[in-house]
Amino acid sequence: MVEESPKDASGYTLASFCLSRCRTHHRCSNHSRCRRPRNRAISTFMRATQYTCMLLSYLLEHKADKEKLVMKLKQLESSMSSGRKMFRLGNTVHALVAARRTTQLPDVVPRFCLTTSNLTRALYFICDAVLWLRSVGLQPDIDKEKWRNWATKCYYSSLLMNLARDWYEISWRLEQAVQKKKTKENSSWDKEDQELNCLKCDSLPSFLLLLFQILKRHPPLLLDMVKNLCDLSSPLDTLGIYKTNPGVIGFCGLISSLVGILMLASPHLKLKQ
């Protein structure tokens, strides 16, 4: 959810004031808040790099003259994965704060889906932190496979809850479109309503066309659904639910990362909670 920054007495937002102070004095009481978007941006770019390396190494691994390049790509992929874990160490608290915020939502379905998603995501970050401790040698006796399986299940559950919320939003908007069709007369409809009027849900093609119109009119919902669907490829493969290959996982991860970068660059495209 994109929140407005509170203003101080001079009329400037705290975010811009904090950024100015951090640039000049490198000290700010609000420094952790202004640093968080930067960390998220760095982590997102590292994620995009990681999945790009995975995709390229899969495409080049069968070419005999590209063995050294493939090895370097896999090393870079591993470095990006390890680096991202460091940026995620504080995300457990952020996920718990988000879960507390979503418990205040008035609608029952989004409240349940988003709160459950944030809680399972917090559990995922805890498991991920345990795996990081093992990878750096602080806890070498940790069962890597067991904790990795738990982390994947938590991440998978979080994505399912996000997709359930997305589908609820889509269903609600479809219902609104049908209600408009029933209550408004054709003469008083605007152009967008006329587009929906010509589409009836009495067949699969018509339903898909209506769904396309809904998503076209609500880009944040479309982007959020695309991102969640792309993120599903990795846990589905790890848990053995639907086995794919590193090429598919790399491609889906890259698409998801690009969507995340787009949301960071244009916050109005992020689906509000």
Side-chain angles (χ1 to χ4, degrees), residues 129-145:
V130 173
L131 290 171
W132 179 80
L133 290 175
R134 184 189 185 281
S135 66
V136 298
L138 295 178
Q139 293 291 336
D141 297 331
I142 289 175
D143 188 340
K144 179 180 179 181
E145 290 302 320

Side-chain angles (χ1 to χ4, degrees), residues 45 97 103 109 113-114 128 139 141 164 177 190 208 262:
F45 277 104
V97 171
T103 58
V109 176
C113 292
L114 291 175
D128 194 61
Q139 293 291 336
D141 297 331
D190 58 18
L208 292 177
L262 180 60

Side-chain angles (χ1 to χ4, degrees), residues 31 42 111 168 186 218 265:
H31 185 66
I42 294 174
R111 181 169 69 239
Y168 175 79
N186 294 341
H218 301 90

Side-chain angles (χ1 to χ4, degrees), residues 4 50 54 62 94 138 180 182 204 206 216 229:
E4 293 182 359
Q50 174 188 344
M54 181 184 294
H62 297 297
H94 300 160
L138 295 178
K180 280 186 177 182
K182 291 180 178 179
L204 180 60
S206 298
K216 185 178 72 172
L229 287 173

Side-chain angles (χ1 to χ4, degrees), residues 112-114 116-117 156-166:
F112 172 78
C113 292
L114 291 175
T116 305
S117 173
Y156 179 61
S157 300
S158 177
L159 291 175
L160 289 181
M161 288 296 100
N162 287 338
L163 284 170
R165 187 266 180 124
D166 289 341

Side-chain angles (χ1 to χ4, degrees), residues 56-159:
L56 290 176
S57 61
Y58 175 79
L59 295 175
L60 297 174
E61 67 179 353
H62 297 297
K63 296 185 179 181
D65 58 337
K66 302 294 183 180
E67 293 181 356
K68 291 184 178 180
L69 177 59
V70 170
M71 184 175 63
K72 291 181 179 180
L73 287 172
K74 290 184 177 181
Q75 290 175 349
L76 180 58
E77 175 193 338
S78 178
S79 299
M80 292 296 103
S81 178
S82 300
R84 286 178 57 216
K85 291 182 185 295
M86 295 186 64
F87 281 96
R88 293 202 296 255
L89 291 178
N91 285 352
T92 302
V93 177
H94 300 160
L96 291 175
V97 171
R100 181 180 178 182
R101 185 176 65 247
T102 53
T103 58
Q104 307 300 319
L105 294 175
D107 204 332
V108 175
V109 176
R111 181 169 69 239
F112 172 78
C113 292
L114 291 175
T115 301
T116 305
S117 173
N118 286 317
L119 289 176
T120 53
R121 196 169 183 84
L123 292 175
Y124 160 71
F125 288 133
I126 292 174
C127 295
D128 194 61
V130 173
L131 290 171
W132 179 80
L133 290 175
R134 184 189 185 281
S135 66
V136 298
L138 295 178
Q139 293 291 336
D141 297 331
I142 289 175
D143 188 340
K144 179 180 179 181
E145 290 302 320
K146 181 178 71 174
W147 282 93
R148 183 185 179 190
N149 189 54
W150 286 354
T152 305
K153 287 181 178 179
C154 291
Y155 183 49
Y156 179 61
S157 300
S158 177
L159 291 175

